[in-house]
Amino acid sequence: MKYFLCTSLILISFFTQAKQATSDLGYTIEIPNSWSPLTGPEIKANPDLFNFEQIDGIPPALLKQIMPVIQSGNMDLYFIPNNSENLANDFTDNINVMKQVGNVPSNPNELNEVCASAKSELSSVFQRDITLYECKQTKVIGRNALYAKFDGGLEGTVSMQYHFPSLRMCF
């Protein structure tokens, strides 16, 4: 979606046992001790970390869109490590942060336009009918953000995204 600048950022600073992760993208975030950070430079230096040929359920058009972002190191990933051999290829909770070019709605008319088109655009990208649960402007740490909650890229998952006008902030 052309209006979104920052995708899939979930703030988790409310966890009591947390560690701080700093990104080359210009932000700092607190993550639970049980989560692992994987920064853009680490991803870029280790391209074999992601086996895109074994990802089931994500449409090829979407993979084609996100693969260059991931492989170029322009995304940070925070996840719960999967310590079970039986679950090695299962989906796990994760947060990913990336920069994208676009505009975040700054007035009610722009917000209505983005939210009205979001369901059909997401359905087109994911190549299935997507439910858009929420689409609204909100404030996060005093900053305006667009919040969207919808069916995730993998069937049976839910995505929550916060879109900020820039990442020049500290969480």
Side-chain angles (χ1 to χ4, degrees):
M1 290 185 202
K2 64 183 180 181
Y3 293 100
F4 295 157
L5 182 61
C6 172
T7 61
S8 297
L9 176 60
I10 302 172
L11 300 176
I12 56 174
S13 60
F14 54 85
F15 289 95
T16 56
Q17 294 184 341
K19 59 187 170 190
Q20 202 172 64
T22 301
S23 170
D24 286 357
L25 296 176
Y27 68 90
T28 300
I29 188 171
E30 288 187 15
I31 60 173
N33 282 333
S34 59
W35 287 54
S36 294
L38 188 57
T39 65
E42 292 170 320
I43 294 169
K44 187 174 183 178
N46 298 286
D48 296 334
L49 288 174
F50 296 92
N51 185 352
F52 292 105
E53 291 158 10
Q54 288 190 354
I55 298 176
D56 295 326
I58 297 181
L62 179 59
L63 274 179
K64 186 177 177 183
Q65 217 176 21
I66 63 172
M67 280 175 42
V69 174
I70 295 169
Q71 292 169 331
S72 68
N74 289 318
M75 181 185 90
D76 296 327
L77 179 65
Y78 306 93
F79 62 96
I80 300 172
N82 188 341
N83 296 323
S84 169
E85 290 182 24
N86 296 335
L87 300 173
N89 293 321
D90 280 2
F91 182 80
T92 186
D93 291 335
N94 69 84
I95 298 168
N96 55 70
V97 181
M98 66 184 84
K99 285 186 180 182
Q100 293 180 314
V101 176
N103 297 310
V104 176
S106 60
N107 63 55
N109 289 338
E110 289 176 358
L111 179 66
N112 290 338
E113 183 181 318
V114 168
C115 292
S117 66
K119 179 181 174 18
S120 64
E121 288 184 32
L122 289 165
S123 295
S124 175
V125 167
F126 295 142
Q127 298 176 348
R128 62 186 172 83
D129 187 41
I130 296 296
T131 299
L132 179 65
Y133 300 103
E134 287 185 73
C135 183
K136 64 183 181 181
Q137 189 169 19
T138 189
K139 286 207 180 265
V140 178
I141 309 176
R143 304 263 334 243
N144 286 332
L146 173 67
Y147 172 73
K149 180 179 177 183
F150 53 90
D151 290 335
L154 295 175
E155 195 133 357
T157 65
V158 174
S159 289
M160 294 168 277
Q161 298 182 348
Y162 288 89
H163 303 266
F164 298 93
S166 74
L167 282 174
R168 290 180 296 218
M169 62 183 120
C170 182
F171 296 104

